[in-house]
Amino acid sequence: MFTVGELLRRPPVSLPETATIRQVAVELTKNRVGLAVLTAADRKPVAVVSERDVLRAVSQNLDLDGPALSIANKPITVLDTDPVVLAADKMRRHNIRHVVVVNRGGDLVGVLSVRDICFERAILLELATADVPTAP
Ligand code: AMP
């Protein structure tokens, strides 16, 4: 069974929780990813902002130099030791394309996107056959 940690390919895009919407947009664009994690001084994840949230902010004419926290959501997380099927189940149930990955200490380890899952044939096979572990 694949674990979430095995699929993480690069460090997460994270910004301090004081970041502005514009700063998040710049980092998402620069790193070509869809989700940024806002972190506290101790690097624990506080909130997430996806490209969807930035688009919504633009369409609602929000001040892009205002706090990213105002458009952010509380992170939905998995452990790096959790099976990938559990991460996929959380994405499906919450209708999101990313889960934040933390370790047992609650530290930010990465972000798993639906793309990371979709392009691995072995994982798709596992998803097709596995019983999904019950997630909280
Ligand atoms: P996405 O489909 O992942 O781009 O995100 C769609 C919406 O779900 C946005 O409002 C995101 O802020 C939110 N979202 C995405 N991933 C997470 C996550 N891991 N935890 C909480 N909210 C999320």
Side-chain angles (χ1 to χ4, degrees), residues 51-127:
E51 55 196 348
R52 297 267 165 112
D53 303 314
V54 175
L55 269 184
R56 196 175 313 114
V58 170
S59 70
Q60 292 175 346
N61 259 326
L62 298 188
D63 176 9
L64 299 185
D65 294 310
L69 263 183
S70 66
I71 62 162
N73 287 303
K74 189 170 169 286
I76 293 165
T77 61
V78 292
L79 288 175
D80 51 357
T81 50
D82 278 336
V84 171
V85 285
L86 189 135
D89 188 53
K90 277 200 173 174
M91 288 182 194
R92 184 184 56 75
R93 284 189 299 115
H94 294 279
N95 197 23
I96 54 180
R97 293 174 298 175
H98 306 84
V99 283
V100 174
V101 185
V102 294
N103 63 21
R104 287 204 181 276
D107 301 314
L108 177 63
V109 176
V111 169
L112 189 75
S113 104
V114 72
R115 291 170 60 93
D116 299 321
I117 296 175
C118 284
F119 297 133
E120 292 283 347
R121 190 178 141 79
I123 290 174
L124 290 178
L125 277 173
E126 195 171 288
L127 288 179

